[in-house]
Amino acid sequence: MDHIGWIGKPWPEFNEGIQYINAFECSPSSAVPSLLDYYSAKYKESASEKGWLQRIQNGQIRVDGNVITDPGFLLRDGVTLVYQRLPWREPEVPYRLGVLYEDDHLVAINKPSGLQVLPGGLFQQRTVLKQLEWDNEEKEKHLQACLASVSSSDETRLWKPAPVHRLGRGTSGILLCAKSPAAKSKLAADLAAGTSVSIDRMKKGDGEIDRKITKTYRALASGIIMEDEVFADIPIGKVKYSGVAGGLNMATEIGGKPSQSKVTVLWRDIVENQTLVEVQIYTGRPHQIRIHLAALGHPLVGDPLYVAGGRPREDLNTVNAENCEDKSMDPADDGGYQRPKSVLPGDCGYLLHAWRLSFFHPVTSQEITIMAPAPPQLQVPVEKENT
């Protein structure tokens, strides 16, 4: 499917920084901490005591609206604390988004590899969501210019588009976004309902009728997959992993959530010892395709994290303070998030593309199929010949 348009504008050199707001609570029996003691103890993962001292003296913390530069300032119960992280240069990422489909209720974009969908970690501004917001602002300006009678009330403002699902930062392809609360609610419900269809029904061929949204990916797997079709019915759970809040997803036999994928071989490259596959996912667990193919013994080519067995490389799960970046930062570098020097789930390198998406329109109920052109590395030879 060809792109019907493009959106996106270049990223500013610096982002806008971030504000962290929280209410301080102290029990009568507890000692009242100083501003420095509070932040250096509660948020020691963000910076060292020296780093927090620099932030306080730099005027980055307000207490009940007042800038406090005295690190010994004693907090009292119920005050509101605001820490302002300074603007910083985020890593270089793509900014142009191809529009594959759009109407008054939804838009489907072709996300490039390397671009994060929602804010998190290093990427607070350079995200798909921010480009959608900017595009929405431009459309509102155009609407106001064309219709002078349109007021700026909430009732007449355009609703900000919101992704209905996520794609990993290193994953390219179709991302479906809703343009109204009703559309988002309906599409989210269809996605949730689809995960209840069991792999057994899929094998029998009678599960597809219950699925409102079908997502199909292309991926390049290491090694030669001998079977033409493989069903992966492998639970996915979490393990503690330094640098990942809440733990890292991985294949597990105990305590994991049911996770099913169907892998179909498209092309076997004997020379390069690689297999081009099509993967249809019946559940939407984070990193599901990467984990399932690794669990089958065929990790994605270039995957920096998951290895055979569907687990992280053992040497990546031994991160400690000795191999982390120094947290005693200079105020000029305050915006930079400190991350372990290990591989994280969002790091790129693998080849995975959301290639086809079929769904029922949330308003018209019409069945729609959208396809995003696969990159050359994920095309079969006949497709390469025709491009």
Side-chain angles (χ1 to χ4, degrees):
M1 177 179 291
D2 294 331
H3 296 106
I4 62 172
W6 296 85
I7 63 173
K9 62 181 182 179
W11 306 110
E13 182 180 3
F14 291 91
N15 63 22
E16 299 172 350
I18 311 175
Q19 281 192 351
Y20 298 90
I21 305 174
N22 64 294
F24 172 71
E25 296 180 356
C26 182
S27 63
S29 59
S30 301
V32 178
S34 68
L35 191 61
L36 177 59
D37 289 342
Y38 172 77
Y39 273 102
S40 60
K42 187 174 179 63
Y43 301 103
K44 58 186 176 182
E45 293 301 317
S46 174
S48 65
E49 183 176 345
K50 179 182 177 182
W52 279 113
L53 176 62
Q54 290 175 327
R55 291 170 172 176
I56 294 170
Q57 294 176 336
N58 200 44
Q60 293 175 243
I61 296 178
R62 286 179 288 148
V63 180
D64 280 346
N66 300 310
V67 175
I68 304 296
T69 58
D70 176 11
F73 179 87
L74 295 179
L75 298 176
R76 57 183 175 81
D77 187 50
V79 297
T80 298
L81 301 171
V82 178
Y83 159 53
Q84 175 68 53
R85 183 178 284 276
L86 298 176
W88 73 92
R89 293 184 181 90
E90 298 184 16
E92 293 296 325
V93 295
Y95 67 87
R96 295 193 74 204
L97 306 172
V99 178
L100 297 165
Y101 176 90
E102 185 172 16
D103 60 27
D104 292 339
H105 309 283
L106 54 89
V107 57
I109 63 172
N110 189 3
K111 185 189 86 69
S113 174
L115 181 60
Q116 192 157 297
V117 175
L118 300 177
L122 285 167
F123 302 96
Q124 294 296 320
Q125 182 181 65
R126 299 186 175 190
T127 64
V128 170
L129 184 63
K130 180 57 69 174
Q131 288 292 351
L132 290 173
E133 289 177 355
W134 285 342
D135 182 65
N136 196 65
E137 290 171 1
E138 290 299 318
K139 289 177 178 176
E140 282 189 339
K141 291 178 182 178
H142 180 72
L143 180 63
Q144 293 289 344
C146 294
L147 303 173
S149 61
V150 175
S151 70
S152 60
S153 66
D154 290 339
E155 287 76 14
T156 57
R157 290 180 65 86
L158 298 174
W159 194 72
K160 294 179 180 180
V164 177
H165 57 101
R166 297 190 187 187
L167 294 179
R169 188 164 71 87
T171 305
S172 60
I174 305 169
L175 181 68
L176 190 61
C177 305
K179 296 172 66 175
S180 71
K184 184 177 181 182
S185 177
K186 182 64 169 63
L187 291 169
D190 288 348
L191 272 172
T195 62
S196 64
V197 181
S198 71
I199 195 69
D200 290 334
R201 294 192 65 188
M202 292 299 175
K203 289 179 180 179
K204 295 176 182 177
D206 62 353
E208 298 291 345
I209 58 173
D210 294 329
R211 298 189 61 80
K212 297 293 183 68
I213 298 181
T214 303
K215 295 187 286 186
T216 306
Y217 294 73
R218 283 195 177 186
L220 191 61
S222 60
I224 302 300
I225 301 177
M226 301 308 297
E227 301 90 342
D228 291 337
E229 187 174 275
V230 181
F231 283 91
D233 189 5
I234 303 168
I236 293 177
K238 289 187 175 182
V239 62
K240 289 184 179 180
Y241 187 82
S242 183
V244 181
L248 177 72
N249 288 281
M250 54 171 275
T252 181
E253 296 179 359
I254 301 175
K257 294 183 178 180
S259 308
Q260 295 96 23
S261 306
K262 181 173 73 173
V263 180
T264 303
V265 171
L266 299 177
W267 180 258
R268 298 180 179 91
D269 189 338
I270 306 299
V271 176
E272 297 294 334
N273 192 35
Q274 300 171 350
T275 305
L276 176 62
V277 298
E278 179 179 286
V279 184
Q280 187 173 338
I281 59 174
Y282 301 137
T283 52
R285 312 302 178 200
H287 319 303
Q288 178 171 319
I289 294 175
R290 297 169 64 187
I291 293 171
H292 274 181
L293 279 166
L296 293 173
H298 300 277
L300 297 189
V301 171
D303 193 326
L305 180 61
Y306 292 105
V307 297
R311 298 170 177 266
R313 291 210 313 265
E314 291 298 327
D315 59 309
L316 299 180
N317 203 19
T318 58
V319 182
N320 53 49
E322 296 180 357
N323 62 4
C324 289
E325 297 176 5
D326 183 15
K327 293 180 181 177
S328 58
M329 62 188 69
D330 184 282
D333 299 324
D334 177 60
Y337 277 82
Q338 306 305 307
R339 59 159 279 172
K341 293 181 179 178
S342 64
V343 176
L344 296 178
D347 292 339
C348 306
Y350 55 89
L351 288 169
L352 178 60
H353 180 73
W355 177 59
R356 184 174 60 212
L357 178 70
S358 294
F359 63 98
F360 288 93
H361 195 280
V363 176
T364 67
S365 297
Q366 176 187 1
E367 186 172 11
I368 297 173
T369 297
I370 300 171
M371 298 178 68
Q377 305 96 316
L378 297 179
Q379 294 178 358
V380 296
V382 67
E383 291 174 328
K384 294 180 181 179
E385 294 173 1
N386 294 330
T387 56

